[in-house]
Amino acid sequence: MAVEVTADSNKTGQSSRPDSNDYHKILASGLPLLDLRAPVEFARGAFEQAVNIPLMTDDERAAVGTCYKEQGQQAAIELGHQLVSGKTRRDREQAWQQFIHEHPGGYLYCFRGGLRSRTVQAFLKEAGVHYPLIKGGYKALRQYLLDQIAELSAHPLLILGGKTGCNKTEFITSRSDSLDLEGAAGHRGSSFGGFAWPQSTQITFENKLAQQYIRRDFAKGQRILLEDEGRVIGSVHVPQELREKMRLSPVVVVEESFDYRLEQLFNEYIVKMLQDFVALKGEESGRAAFSEYFFQGVFKVRKRLGMQRYQALLGLLEKASSGLHREDLSGYYDVLRDLMVQYYDPMYDYQLSLKSERIVFRGNSDQCRTYLDAL
């Protein structure tokens, strides 16, 4: 059933909204965005408030691109109109109008804000619908966000460190003077740091980080707290300028007891991860995917463990996995305990020793909060 969006309905304010290049407002406000690019373009990198309802499929876009190279622009335009016509056009117009009906205050865009955006605007206009576009399209929004990352890197930084299980992410996300690198990356940084769903692409990671920065509206020169991260977080890398600034910044270290950290890790990496896999894939497939996730994580650190310790850890993991079908997760305490003692804590102690001259404070979470609030 088609969504009725008439010219009269636009008189409520939608028709008076012009095309925009106010990138800051669009990105900071999280205004809904209708992304007209092909699915392959959207998959490489997108904005978190964007919905992809493309003008052309990947194959259609490829065909038009080939035509452009071989026969020129006009022939490519004509082919595009042939491919997006009849029922195909009606179906896509219905999807665009549904989005507009649900998000009357948003904008549409293609890669450069050019032909695809204008074409869709023209299609919609024939149906009595006006919807503004973003001038310069995705490319302009993306460049604006890259400029924001450069601006972020100019701020004074403070780095929050601490052993695995100190709940640093919760600490970071609870504060208004911080940015969540792992949240933007969609990964927790360790060999077991993935989630049940795919992590961000490099472009999406940078876009999300920059949008966090814009929305926090930091004052010029304000100190920003970031979690201690390496050069890479999962499969994405921290922008070089920001990483270099982090590498030279002072460090606050959160210190919690071994038992506290073990319990935090159990809740985060076992209980919640299993719930996420089951929610995504169903009971049986979810348990199997969770088990595979943990075996793969152990495999990734085998060289650092050494073959003897790796084999011993595999034994613990096989025993723990055997309890999954009984909903008995207790065996994973032994796996996590061994990983902490044999791998994570020694690695962190070594890494922290390289930063000893930059450490300005140590304490538990409450003490660290008090220290930061007093700065």
Side-chain angles (χ1 to χ4, degrees):
M1 179 177 173
V3 177
E4 184 177 353
V5 186
T6 66
D8 287 340
S9 69
N10 284 305
K11 291 179 182 179
T12 60
Q14 186 175 301
S15 62
S16 64
R17 291 194 304 125
D19 298 339
S20 178
N21 62 356
D22 190 347
Y23 309 130
H24 185 91
K25 178 181 178 181
I26 290 167
L27 293 165
S29 302
L31 292 175
L33 299 177
L34 173 54
D35 190 317
L36 301 170
R37 297 176 301 154
V40 67
E41 297 173 278
F42 188 81
R44 290 192 196 108
F47 310 112
E48 52 193 341
Q49 72 265 42
V51 174
N52 185 219
I53 310 177
L55 171 61
M56 293 184 288
T57 65
D58 293 335
D59 289 342
E60 290 165 351
R61 173 176 172 265
V64 169
T66 299
C67 182
Y68 179 87
K69 292 177 183 177
E70 295 177 352
Q71 302 178 46
Q73 184 181 46
Q74 188 56 41
I77 292 173
E78 291 174 2
L79 176 59
H81 280 280
Q82 291 172 18
L83 293 171
V84 186
S85 62
K87 184 178 184 302
T88 298
R89 173 175 163 176
R90 290 193 297 273
D91 289 346
R92 291 176 195 177
E93 282 186 9
Q94 181 179 344
W96 298 325
Q97 290 188 42
Q98 180 68 46
F99 178 91
I100 293 167
H101 176 73
E102 295 172 357
H103 308 287
Y107 292 86
L108 61 81
Y109 65 88
C110 58
F111 185 66
R112 293 186 177 87
L115 186 57
R116 284 181 286 182
S117 292
R118 298 293 181 188
T119 297
V120 171
Q121 276 193 325
F123 286 168
L124 291 169
K125 186 177 181 181
E126 290 179 21
V129 179
H130 170 80
Y131 206 59
L133 62 77
I134 294 173
K135 296 178 181 179
Y138 172 85
K139 186 176 181 181
L141 287 172
R142 167 74 174 154
Q143 185 58 56
Y144 183 80
L145 291 177
L146 289 175
D147 292 342
Q148 296 306 300
I149 290 179
E151 185 177 301
L152 158 62
S153 302
H155 280 259
L157 304 178
L158 190 58
I159 307 303
L160 184 73
K163 290 181 177 179
T164 299
C166 284
N167 214 7
K168 299 184 293 296
T169 297
E170 189 279 331
F171 189 107
I172 286 284
T173 56
S174 70
R175 299 185 61 86
S176 62
D177 60 351
S178 65
L179 293 174
D180 182 10
L181 290 169
E182 293 184 357
H187 197 281
R188 288 164 293 200
S190 70
S191 299
F192 299 87
F195 292 94
W197 47 86
Q199 80 162 109
S200 302
T201 66
Q202 181 66 36
I203 292 173
T204 299
F205 163 56
E206 293 166 357
N207 289 348
K208 285 184 175 181
L209 178 60
Q211 283 192 265
Q212 276 191 49
Y213 172 69
I214 292 170
R215 289 170 181 169
R216 287 296 169 101
D217 194 25
F218 293 103
K220 185 175 182 180
Q222 181 179 347
R223 185 199 71 238
I224 298 176
L225 181 68
L226 299 174
E227 187 172 344
D228 194 7
E229 301 289 349
R231 183 179 59 84
V232 296
I233 306 174
S235 62
V236 303
H237 65 266
V238 178
Q240 184 174 354
E241 187 176 1
L242 179 61
R243 176 60 192 153
E244 286 301 310
K245 187 69 173 285
M246 292 174 65
R247 192 174 61 82
L248 301 173
S249 298
V251 179
V252 170
V253 180
V254 181
E255 297 179 326
E256 301 288 1
S257 71
F258 185 92
D259 288 343
Y260 172 90
R261 295 190 293 117
L262 176 60
E263 195 63 34
Q264 291 297 315
L265 287 175
F266 181 81
N267 288 330
E268 182 177 357
Y269 285 87
I270 307 302
V271 177
K272 190 172 187 307
M273 282 296 294
L274 179 57
Q275 290 172 348
D276 289 343
F277 274 114
V278 168
L280 190 67
K281 298 176 179 292
E283 285 287 344
E284 186 174 348
S285 296
R287 286 195 297 269
F290 169 79
S291 180
E292 178 64 18
Y293 143 79
F294 231 94
F295 274 102
Q296 286 296 320
V298 169
F299 182 76
K300 290 175 185 177
V301 301
R302 68 194 185 284
K303 291 182 179 179
R304 290 183 179 271
L305 288 171
M307 189 53 62
Q308 185 174 353
R309 287 186 293 177
Y310 171 61
Q311 292 295 337
L313 185 57
L314 273 184
L316 292 175
L317 185 54
E318 288 168 358
K319 182 179 179 181
S321 298
S322 68
L324 278 175
H325 70 281
R326 303 190 307 273
E327 298 186 1
D328 177 10
L329 303 179
S330 59
Y332 283 98
Y333 275 110
D334 293 332
V335 176
L336 291 173
R337 186 179 294 107
D338 204 56
L339 277 168
M340 290 168 69
V341 172
Q342 302 288 351
Y343 176 65
Y344 279 112
D345 285 5
M347 179 179 64
Y348 185 77
D349 286 339
Y350 170 73
Q351 291 175 343
L352 195 62
S353 71
L354 303 178
K355 305 167 187 171
S356 58
E357 294 182 355
R358 295 192 283 127
I359 296 173
V360 294
F361 187 80
R362 292 175 179 262
N364 63 31
S365 295
D366 290 338
Q367 291 168 334
C368 287
R369 286 190 179 92
T370 300
Y371 171 80
L372 292 172
D373 290 343
L375 291 179

